[in-house]
Amino acid sequence: MPALPRSARRPGITPALVALLLGLVLLTAGCASLDTQQRRWIFQPAASPWAGGVTAAEGMDDVWIDFDSAATGRPARLHGLWHPRPDGAQAGAPVLLYLHGARWDVTGSARRVRRMQELGFNVLAIDYRGFGRSAPGELPSEQMAYEDARAAWDWLATQHPGAPRYIFGHSLGGAIAVDLAAQVPDEAGLIVEGSFTSVRDVFSQMRWGWLPLGPLITQRFDAQAKVAQVGSPLLVVHGSEDRLIPPALGKALYERAASPKRWLLVEGGSHHNTNAVGQGAYREALRELFGLAS
């Protein structure tokens, strides 16, 4: 998730110095440069995949999604992983679009994808442009990520007509999932895990959050402004020990949503393992809120 460069987090670098450095950046760089740096800090796309994720993704099927990008004016191609239910259980199973968070490509979420499949879904997990094999080398942006999620959603509709489709977002992917669910009329449900209200609120939780940087944020991911427009049941999940995104931000997102909805705080869950620690609680919540049984 969003982070300042390492130099701004070293001991001895005071908030006043951070403010001075940011002021100098603003004086010497244009708005375009500021936007570029924010995109790098927020998305943090790794140059190579996490080895454990690559192993976990073995056996999943590659998927390619082509579309014309309004954000860039160029043709775009997304890579994804398709992980359906075992033979005999695929037909009639709900379909889940999985939207991952920052840093790692889609293989970094492979273990979480497997757990969602075990909960009863046929799962499609995609990489946004700039991650993995989706337009490698391109710098992601908020608008491009929204567009990528919508392209994947439309692709699922053509490939699996009639199947109930759900949206899942983890961390930064939660904000992307909220935007998608607020835009489309045909999702059966929305699940967000370890997510937040807005990037501005995430920044405010950090030790330098008192700095008046809000007006300078270009990549806003303002999920709280959109979540009330979601027209399907919403499950908001957070780990009680999440040290990256405080549970209070997940709860605040939940409180802004319309019913039906459910808040699930997984005791002992961190930003990365809540899905595993809370598997049983997930199963119960899916049954009670969405009427799903795995």
Side-chain angles (χ1 to χ4, degrees):
M1 268 306 301
L4 282 175
R6 292 179 181 176
S7 61
R9 292 185 275 120
R10 291 174 185 162
I13 302 297
T14 66
L17 182 56
V18 171
L20 176 60
L21 292 174
L22 287 171
L24 291 174
V25 167
L26 294 174
L27 289 173
T28 59
C31 293
S33 296
L34 180 62
D35 180 69
T36 296
Q37 288 302 324
Q38 287 185 38
R39 291 160 65 184
R40 288 173 179 158
W41 293 341
I42 290 171
F43 286 97
Q44 305 174 52
S48 57
W50 173 51
V54 173
T55 300
E58 291 179 357
M60 296 183 184
D61 298 324
D62 291 318
V63 166
W64 297 96
I65 300 171
D66 296 292
F67 66 101
D68 292 325
S69 171
T72 65
R74 303 188 303 270
R77 194 176 209 208
L78 305 179
H79 172 253
L81 294 175
W82 174 244
H83 189 49
R85 298 278 287 160
D87 291 342
Q90 295 183 27
V95 177
L96 182 77
L97 175 60
Y98 182 105
L99 301 169
H100 67 70
R103 190 178 182 187
W104 299 116
D105 70 12
V106 69
T107 62
S109 293
R111 293 177 180 174
R112 196 175 289 105
V113 167
R114 289 190 182 278
R115 286 189 285 270
M116 297 309 293
Q117 184 251 37
E118 291 167 1
L119 289 173
F121 296 100
N122 296 321
V123 184
L124 171 67
I126 65 159
D127 264 330
Y128 321 113
R129 278 168 285 177
F131 285 83
R133 289 188 275 172
S134 293
E138 190 153 9
L139 182 63
S141 75
E142 180 179 7
Q143 291 305 316
M144 287 167 58
Y146 291 159
E147 190 177 55
D148 295 343
R150 181 59 183 265
W153 186 252
D154 292 343
W155 182 90
L156 277 177
T158 62
Q159 297 297 313
H160 302 276
R165 286 175 292 148
Y166 291 77
I167 307 169
F168 176 97
H170 177 254
S171 192
L172 182 64
I176 299 169
V178 168
D179 178 83
L180 177 61
Q183 298 297 326
V184 301
D186 54 351
E187 85 283 3
L190 170 64
I191 307 165
V192 297
E193 179 188 321
S195 198
F196 52 85
T197 46
S198 69
V199 163
R200 181 173 182 170
D201 288 344
V202 174
F203 284 178
S204 73
Q205 297 294 310
M206 299 179 180
R207 66 176 183 177
W208 40 269
W210 59 271
L211 291 171
L213 301 180
L216 305 178
I217 296 174
T218 61
Q219 306 292 298
R220 297 180 180 276
F221 288 99
D222 195 358
Q224 65 183 351
K226 305 170 185 176
V227 70
Q229 302 169 35
V230 174
S232 61
L234 168 65
L235 174 61
V236 180
V237 185
H238 223 103
S240 66
E241 303 306 311
D242 192 330
R243 298 292 182 250
L244 189 59
I245 305 296
L249 292 185
K251 187 63 179 295
L253 181 66
Y254 164 82
E255 290 174 345
R256 286 180 173 264
S259 295
K261 59 184 178 178
R262 176 164 176 175
W263 165 251
L264 175 59
L265 183 67
V266 176
E267 292 298 329
S270 71
H271 191 68
H272 303 291
N273 72 3
T274 290
N275 191 265
V277 173
Q279 187 81 336
Y282 250 102
R283 184 172 285 106
E284 179 184 353
L286 292 175
R287 178 179 56 81
E288 294 182 354
L289 185 61
F290 302 123
L292 296 176
S294 55

PDB file of all heavy atoms in Angstrom, residues 64-91:
ATOM      1  N   TRP A  64      -6.234 -14.291 -21.370  1.00  0.00           N
ATOM      2  CA  TRP A  64      -5.854 -13.009 -21.962  1.00  0.00           C
ATOM      3  C   TRP A  64      -7.111 -12.248 -22.348  1.00  0.00           C
ATOM      4  O   TRP A  64      -8.030 -12.816 -22.947  1.00  0.00           O
ATOM      5  CB  TRP A  64      -4.966 -13.230 -23.187  1.00  0.00           C
ATOM      6  CG  TRP A  64      -3.667 -13.893 -22.835  1.00  0.00           C
ATOM      7  CD1 TRP A  64      -3.372 -15.226 -22.906  1.00  0.00           C
ATOM      8  CD2 TRP A  64      -2.507 -13.255 -22.320  1.00  0.00           C
ATOM      9  NE1 TRP A  64      -2.086 -15.464 -22.465  1.00  0.00           N
ATOM     10  CE2 TRP A  64      -1.532 -14.269 -22.098  1.00  0.00           C
ATOM     11  CE3 TRP A  64      -2.183 -11.937 -22.003  1.00  0.00           C
ATOM     12  CZ2 TRP A  64      -0.266 -13.996 -21.589  1.00  0.00           C
ATOM     13  CZ3 TRP A  64      -0.914 -11.652 -21.501  1.00  0.00           C
ATOM     14  CH2 TRP A  64       0.017 -12.671 -21.301  1.00  0.00           C
ATOM     15  N   ILE A  65      -7.152 -10.983 -21.988  1.00  0.00           N
ATOM     16  CA  ILE A  65      -8.320 -10.141 -22.232  1.00  0.00           C
ATOM     17  C   ILE A  65      -7.879  -8.919 -23.033  1.00  0.00           C
ATOM     18  O   ILE A  65      -7.058  -8.123 -22.565  1.00  0.00           O
ATOM     19  CB  ILE A  65      -8.968  -9.698 -20.903  1.00  0.00           C
ATOM     20  CG1 ILE A  65      -9.418 -10.927 -20.111  1.00  0.00           C
ATOM     21  CG2 ILE A  65     -10.125  -8.744 -21.157  1.00  0.00           C
ATOM     22  CD1 ILE A  65      -9.869 -10.608 -18.693  1.00  0.00           C
ATOM     23  N   ASP A  66      -8.402  -8.764 -24.231  1.00  0.00           N
ATOM     24  CA  ASP A  66      -8.052  -7.646 -25.108  1.00  0.00           C
ATOM     25  C   ASP A  66      -9.187  -6.635 -25.155  1.00  0.00           C
ATOM     26  O   ASP A  66     -10.369  -7.012 -25.234  1.00  0.00           O
ATOM     27  CB  ASP A  66      -7.762  -8.163 -26.521  1.00  0.00           C
ATOM     28  CG  ASP A  66      -6.542  -9.079 -26.563  1.00  0.00           C
ATOM     29  OD1 ASP A  66      -5.422  -8.575 -26.349  1.00  0.00           O
ATOM     30  OD2 ASP A  66      -6.718 -10.294 -26.792  1.00  0.00           O
ATOM     31  N   PHE A  67      -8.844  -5.364 -25.124  1.00  0.00           N
ATOM     32  CA  PHE A  67      -9.843  -4.306 -25.227  1.00  0.00           C
ATOM     33  C   PHE A  67      -9.157  -3.013 -25.659  1.00  0.00           C
ATOM     34  O   PHE A  67      -7.928  -2.894 -25.628  1.00  0.00           O
ATOM     35  CB  PHE A  67     -10.581  -4.102 -23.898  1.00  0.00           C
ATOM     36  CG  PHE A  67      -9.708  -3.569 -22.775  1.00  0.00           C
ATOM     37  CD1 PHE A  67      -9.747  -2.229 -22.424  1.00  0.00           C
ATOM     38  CD2 PHE A  67      -8.865  -4.417 -22.066  1.00  0.00           C
ATOM     39  CE1 PHE A  67      -8.956  -1.731 -21.403  1.00  0.00           C
ATOM     40  CE2 PHE A  67      -8.070  -3.938 -21.040  1.00  0.00           C
ATOM     41  CZ  PHE A  67      -8.107  -2.591 -20.696  1.00  0.00           C
ATOM     42  N   ASP A  68      -9.954  -2.064 -26.081  1.00  0.00           N
ATOM     43  CA  ASP A  68      -9.446  -0.738 -26.450  1.00  0.00           C
ATOM     44  C   ASP A  68      -9.530   0.174 -25.236  1.00  0.00           C
ATOM     45  O   ASP A  68     -10.600   0.337 -24.645  1.00  0.00           O
ATOM     46  CB  ASP A  68     -10.252  -0.154 -27.611  1.00  0.00           C
ATOM     47  CG  ASP A  68     -10.035  -0.925 -28.907  1.00  0.00           C
ATOM     48  OD1 ASP A  68      -8.913  -1.409 -29.129  1.00  0.00           O
ATOM     49  OD2 ASP A  68     -11.005  -1.047 -29.688  1.00  0.00           O
ATOM     50  N   SER A  69      -8.413   0.771 -24.880  1.00  0.00           N
ATOM     51  CA  SER A  69      -8.339   1.594 -23.673  1.00  0.00           C
ATOM     52  C   SER A  69      -8.693   3.042 -23.971  1.00  0.00           C
ATOM     53  O   SER A  69      -8.020   3.711 -24.763  1.00  0.00           O
ATOM     54  CB  SER A  69      -6.928   1.521 -23.077  1.00  0.00           C
ATOM     55  OG  SER A  69      -6.782   2.468 -22.035  1.00  0.00           O
ATOM     56  N   ALA A  70      -9.739   3.533 -23.310  1.00  0.00           N
ATOM     57  CA  ALA A  70     -10.075   4.952 -23.417  1.00  0.00           C
ATOM     58  C   ALA A  70      -9.078   5.801 -22.631  1.00  0.00           C
ATOM     59  O   ALA A  70      -8.838   6.961 -22.966  1.00  0.00           O
ATOM     60  CB  ALA A  70     -11.491   5.190 -22.903  1.00  0.00           C
ATOM     61  N   ALA A  71      -8.481   5.226 -21.581  1.00  0.00           N
ATOM     62  CA  ALA A  71      -7.541   5.982 -20.741  1.00  0.00           C
ATOM     63  C   ALA A  71      -6.259   6.322 -21.484  1.00  0.00           C
ATOM     64  O   ALA A  71      -5.675   7.383 -21.267  1.00  0.00           O
ATOM     65  CB  ALA A  71      -7.222   5.183 -19.476  1.00  0.00           C
ATOM     66  N   THR A  72      -5.802   5.415 -22.349  1.00  0.00           N
ATOM     67  CA  THR A  72      -4.542   5.637 -23.063  1.00  0.00           C
ATOM     68  C   THR A  72      -4.734   5.872 -24.552  1.00  0.00           C
ATOM     69  O   THR A  72      -3.812   6.349 -25.223  1.00  0.00           O
ATOM     70  CB  THR A  72      -3.596   4.433 -22.899  1.00  0.00           C
ATOM     71  OG1 THR A  72      -4.175   3.277 -23.544  1.00  0.00           O
ATOM     72  CG2 THR A  72      -3.365   4.127 -21.419  1.00  0.00           C
ATOM     73  N   GLY A  73      -5.909   5.517 -25.083  1.00  0.00           N
ATOM     74  CA  GLY A  73      -6.135   5.643 -26.522  1.00  0.00           C
ATOM     75  C   GLY A  73      -5.454   4.555 -27.322  1.00  0.00           C
ATOM     76  O   GLY A  73      -5.323   4.687 -28.557  1.00  0.00           O
ATOM     77  N   ARG A  74      -5.045   3.482 -26.654  1.00  0.00           N
ATOM     78  CA  ARG A  74      -4.346   2.389 -27.335  1.00  0.00           C
ATOM     79  C   ARG A  74      -5.015   1.055 -27.019  1.00  0.00           C
ATOM     80  O   ARG A  74      -5.676   0.918 -25.976  1.00  0.00           O
ATOM     81  CB  ARG A  74      -2.885   2.321 -26.890  1.00  0.00           C
ATOM     82  CG  ARG A  74      -2.087   3.589 -27.098  1.00  0.00           C
ATOM     83  CD  ARG A  74      -0.606   3.353 -26.818  1.00  0.00           C
ATOM     84  NE  ARG A  74      -0.378   2.857 -25.472  1.00  0.00           N
ATOM     85  CZ  ARG A  74      -0.160   3.630 -24.403  1.00  0.00           C
ATOM     86  NH1 ARG A  74      -0.183   4.948 -24.540  1.00  0.00           N
ATOM     87  NH2 ARG A  74       0.047   3.098 -23.218  1.00  0.00           N
ATOM     88  N   PRO A  75      -4.811   0.052 -27.870  1.00  0.00           N
ATOM     89  CA  PRO A  75      -5.274  -1.292 -27.519  1.00  0.00           C
ATOM     90  C   PRO A  75      -4.555  -1.769 -26.257  1.00  0.00           C
ATOM     91  O   PRO A  75      -3.391  -1.440 -26.031  1.00  0.00           O
ATOM     92  CB  PRO A  75      -4.886  -2.136 -28.741  1.00  0.00           C
ATOM     93  CG  PRO A  75      -4.738  -1.159 -29.857  1.00  0.00           C
ATOM     94  CD  PRO A  75      -4.222   0.101 -29.222  1.00  0.00           C
ATOM     95  N   ALA A  76      -5.262  -2.523 -25.427  1.00  0.00           N
ATOM     96  CA  ALA A  76      -4.692  -3.027 -24.178  1.00  0.00           C
ATOM     97  C   ALA A  76      -4.927  -4.525 -24.085  1.00  0.00           C
ATOM     98  O   ALA A  76      -5.886  -5.059 -24.649  1.00  0.00           O
ATOM     99  CB  ALA A  76      -5.327  -2.318 -22.985  1.00  0.00           C
ATOM    100  N   ARG A  77      -4.033  -5.175 -23.340  1.00  0.00           N
ATOM    101  CA  ARG A  77      -4.159  -6.622 -23.139  1.00  0.00           C
ATOM    102  C   ARG A  77      -3.836  -6.954 -21.694  1.00  0.00           C
ATOM    103  O   ARG A  77      -2.782  -6.579 -21.181  1.00  0.00           O
ATOM    104  CB  ARG A  77      -3.225  -7.394 -24.070  1.00  0.00           C
ATOM    105  CG  ARG A  77      -3.562  -8.872 -24.128  1.00  0.00           C
ATOM    106  CD  ARG A  77      -2.696  -9.624 -25.113  1.00  0.00           C
ATOM    107  NE  ARG A  77      -3.411 -10.766 -25.662  1.00  0.00           N
ATOM    108  CZ  ARG A  77      -2.841 -11.880 -26.099  1.00  0.00           C
ATOM    109  NH1 ARG A  77      -1.520 -12.000 -26.065  1.00  0.00           N
ATOM    110  NH2 ARG A  77      -3.576 -12.857 -26.574  1.00  0.00           N
ATOM    111  N   LEU A  78      -4.759  -7.645 -21.039  1.00  0.00           N
ATOM    112  CA  LEU A  78      -4.574  -8.045 -19.653  1.00  0.00           C
ATOM    113  C   LEU A  78      -4.296  -9.534 -19.564  1.00  0.00           C
ATOM    114  O   LEU A  78      -4.864 -10.335 -20.312  1.00  0.00           O
ATOM    115  CB  LEU A  78      -5.839  -7.740 -18.833  1.00  0.00           C
ATOM    116  CG  LEU A  78      -6.377  -6.316 -18.843  1.00  0.00           C
ATOM    117  CD1 LEU A  78      -7.633  -6.243 -17.988  1.00  0.00           C
ATOM    118  CD2 LEU A  78      -5.321  -5.336 -18.356  1.00  0.00           C
ATOM    119  N   HIS A  79      -3.445  -9.878 -18.615  1.00  0.00           N
ATOM    120  CA  HIS A  79      -3.219 -11.291 -18.290  1.00  0.00           C
ATOM    121  C   HIS A  79      -3.942 -11.615 -16.991  1.00  0.00           C
ATOM    122  O   HIS A  79      -4.006 -10.802 -16.070  1.00  0.00           O
ATOM    123  CB  HIS A  79      -1.730 -11.582 -18.117  1.00  0.00           C
ATOM    124  CG  HIS A  79      -1.454 -12.952 -17.593  1.00  0.00           C
ATOM    125  ND1 HIS A  79      -1.024 -13.190 -16.304  1.00  0.00           N
ATOM    126  CD2 HIS A  79      -1.579 -14.176 -18.174  1.00  0.00           C
ATOM    127  CE1 HIS A  79      -0.884 -14.493 -16.118  1.00  0.00           C
ATOM    128  NE2 HIS A  79      -1.214 -15.109 -17.234  1.00  0.00           N
ATOM    129  N   GLY A  80      -4.509 -12.802 -16.931  1.00  0.00           N
ATOM    130  CA  GLY A  80      -5.166 -13.243 -15.718  1.00  0.00           C
ATOM    131  C   GLY A  80      -4.967 -14.727 -15.489  1.00  0.00           C
ATOM    132  O   GLY A  80      -4.425 -15.447 -16.348  1.00  0.00           O
ATOM    133  N   LEU A  81      -5.376 -15.179 -14.321  1.00  0.00           N
ATOM    134  CA  LEU A  81      -5.343 -16.594 -13.968  1.00  0.00           C
ATOM    135  C   LEU A  81      -6.774 -17.070 -13.722  1.00  0.00           C
ATOM    136  O   LEU A  81      -7.520 -16.429 -12.986  1.00  0.00           O
ATOM    137  CB  LEU A  81      -4.494 -16.821 -12.712  1.00  0.00           C
ATOM    138  CG  LEU A  81      -3.002 -16.522 -12.829  1.00  0.00           C
ATOM    139  CD1 LEU A  81      -2.327 -16.691 -11.469  1.00  0.00           C
ATOM    140  CD2 LEU A  81      -2.336 -17.423 -13.870  1.00  0.00           C
ATOM    141  N   TRP A  82      -7.122 -18.187 -14.322  1.00  0.00           N
ATOM    142  CA  TRP A  82      -8.447 -18.770 -14.181  1.00  0.00           C
ATOM    143  C   TRP A  82      -8.319 -20.033 -13.333  1.00  0.00           C
ATOM    144  O   TRP A  82      -7.561 -20.935 -13.661  1.00  0.00           O
ATOM    145  CB  TRP A  82      -9.024 -19.085 -15.557  1.00  0.00           C
ATOM    146  CG  TRP A  82     -10.327 -19.825 -15.572  1.00  0.00           C
ATOM    147  CD1 TRP A  82     -10.554 -21.063 -16.064  1.00  0.00           C
ATOM    148  CD2 TRP A  82     -11.595 -19.351 -15.091  1.00  0.00           C
ATOM    149  NE1 TRP A  82     -11.870 -21.409 -15.935  1.00  0.00           N
ATOM    150  CE2 TRP A  82     -12.538 -20.368 -15.333  1.00  0.00           C
ATOM    151  CE3 TRP A  82     -12.023 -18.166 -14.470  1.00  0.00           C
ATOM    152  CZ2 TRP A  82     -13.881 -20.251 -14.980  1.00  0.00           C
ATOM    153  CZ3 TRP A  82     -13.356 -18.053 -14.123  1.00  0.00           C
ATOM    154  CH2 TRP A  82     -14.273 -19.074 -14.382  1.00  0.00           C
ATOM    155  N   HIS A  83      -9.050 -20.045 -12.225  1.00  0.00           N
ATOM    156  CA  HIS A  83      -8.982 -21.183 -11.305  1.00  0.00           C
ATOM    157  C   HIS A  83     -10.402 -21.625 -10.974  1.00  0.00           C
ATOM    158  O   HIS A  83     -10.997 -21.181  -9.994  1.00  0.00           O
ATOM    159  CB  HIS A  83      -8.223 -20.796 -10.039  1.00  0.00           C
ATOM    160  CG  HIS A  83      -7.923 -21.948  -9.132  1.00  0.00           C
ATOM    161  ND1 HIS A  83      -7.361 -23.132  -9.573  1.00  0.00           N
ATOM    162  CD2 HIS A  83      -8.113 -22.103  -7.791  1.00  0.00           C
ATOM    163  CE1 HIS A  83      -7.206 -23.956  -8.553  1.00  0.00           C
ATOM    164  NE2 HIS A  83      -7.677 -23.367  -7.471  1.00  0.00           N
ATOM    165  N   PRO A  84     -10.976 -22.512 -11.798  1.00  0.00           N
ATOM    166  CA  PRO A  84     -12.358 -22.934 -11.590  1.00  0.00           C
ATOM    167  C   PRO A  84     -12.479 -24.030 -10.551  1.00  0.00           C
ATOM    168  O   PRO A  84     -11.483 -24.605 -10.097  1.00  0.00           O
ATOM    169  CB  PRO A  84     -12.755 -23.450 -12.972  1.00  0.00           C
ATOM    170  CG  PRO A  84     -11.482 -24.010 -13.522  1.00  0.00           C
ATOM    171  CD  PRO A  84     -10.384 -23.102 -13.004  1.00  0.00           C
ATOM    172  N   ARG A  85     -13.701 -24.328 -10.189  1.00  0.00           N
ATOM    173  CA  ARG A  85     -13.995 -25.448  -9.306  1.00  0.00           C
ATOM    174  C   ARG A  85     -13.581 -26.748  -9.986  1.00  0.00           C
ATOM    175  O   ARG A  85     -13.442 -26.807 -11.207  1.00  0.00           O
ATOM    176  CB  ARG A  85     -15.492 -25.476  -9.003  1.00  0.00           C
ATOM    177  CG  ARG A  85     -16.000 -24.245  -8.268  1.00  0.00           C
ATOM    178  CD  ARG A  85     -15.735 -24.340  -6.783  1.00  0.00           C
ATOM    179  NE  ARG A  85     -16.622 -25.309  -6.171  1.00  0.00           N
ATOM    180  CZ  ARG A  85     -16.411 -25.892  -4.992  1.00  0.00           C
ATOM    181  NH1 ARG A  85     -15.323 -25.595  -4.310  1.00  0.00           N
ATOM    182  NH2 ARG A  85     -17.279 -26.738  -4.489  1.00  0.00           N
ATOM    183  N   PRO A  86     -13.372 -27.809  -9.227  1.00  0.00           N
ATOM    184  CA  PRO A  86     -13.009 -29.087  -9.840  1.00  0.00           C
ATOM    185  C   PRO A  86     -14.083 -29.558 -10.811  1.00  0.00           C
ATOM    186  O   PRO A  86     -15.241 -29.146 -10.738  1.00  0.00           O
ATOM    187  CB  PRO A  86     -12.904 -30.037  -8.635  1.00  0.00           C
ATOM    188  CG  PRO A  86     -12.681 -29.150  -7.461  1.00  0.00           C
ATOM    189  CD  PRO A  86     -13.428 -27.884  -7.762  1.00  0.00           C
ATOM    190  N   ASP A  87     -13.678 -30.414 -11.750  1.00  0.00           N
ATOM    191  CA  ASP A  87     -14.632 -30.971 -12.703  1.00  0.00           C
ATOM    192  C   ASP A  87     -15.829 -31.544 -11.962  1.00  0.00           C
ATOM    193  O   ASP A  87     -15.684 -32.239 -10.957  1.00  0.00           O
ATOM    194  CB  ASP A  87     -13.971 -32.067 -13.539  1.00  0.00           C
ATOM    195  CG  ASP A  87     -12.936 -31.499 -14.498  1.00  0.00           C
ATOM    196  OD1 ASP A  87     -12.994 -30.281 -14.752  1.00  0.00           O
ATOM    197  OD2 ASP A  87     -12.068 -32.256 -14.966  1.00  0.00           O
ATOM    198  N   GLY A  88     -17.002 -31.238 -12.478  1.00  0.00           N
ATOM    199  CA  GLY A  88     -18.223 -31.711 -11.842  1.00  0.00           C
ATOM    200  C   GLY A  88     -18.834 -30.687 -10.909  1.00  0.00           C
ATOM    201  O   GLY A  88     -20.010 -30.799 -10.545  1.00  0.00           O
ATOM    202  N   ALA A  89     -18.042 -29.691 -10.501  1.00  0.00           N
ATOM    203  CA  ALA A  89     -18.557 -28.661  -9.598  1.00  0.00           C
ATOM    204  C   ALA A  89     -18.567 -27.280 -10.243  1.00  0.00           C
ATOM    205  O   ALA A  89     -19.017 -26.315  -9.646  1.00  0.00           O
ATOM    206  CB  ALA A  89     -17.733 -28.623  -8.314  1.00  0.00           C
ATOM    207  N   GLN A  90     -18.036 -27.184 -11.489  1.00  0.00           N
ATOM    208  CA  GLN A  90     -17.948 -25.885 -12.149  1.00  0.00           C
ATOM    209  C   GLN A  90     -19.304 -25.366 -12.592  1.00  0.00           C
ATOM    210  O   GLN A  90     -19.614 -24.190 -12.438  1.00  0.00           O
ATOM    211  CB  GLN A  90     -17.017 -25.978 -13.354  1.00  0.00           C
ATOM    212  CG  GLN A  90     -15.573 -26.271 -13.019  1.00  0.00           C
ATOM    213  CD  GLN A  90     -14.704 -26.279 -14.262  1.00  0.00           C
ATOM    214  OE1 GLN A  90     -14.999 -25.636 -15.254  1.00  0.00           O
ATOM    215  NE2 GLN A  90     -13.619 -27.037 -14.205  1.00  0.00           N
ATOM    216  N   ALA A  91     -20.112 -26.247 -13.168  1.00  0.00           N
ATOM    217  CA  ALA A  91     -21.397 -25.832 -13.706  1.00  0.00           C
ATOM    218  C   ALA A  91     -22.285 -25.281 -12.591  1.00  0.00           C
ATOM    219  O   ALA A  91     -22.493 -25.931 -11.572  1.00  0.00           O
ATOM    220  CB  ALA A  91     -22.074 -27.002 -14.402  1.00  0.00           C
TER     221      ALA A  91
END
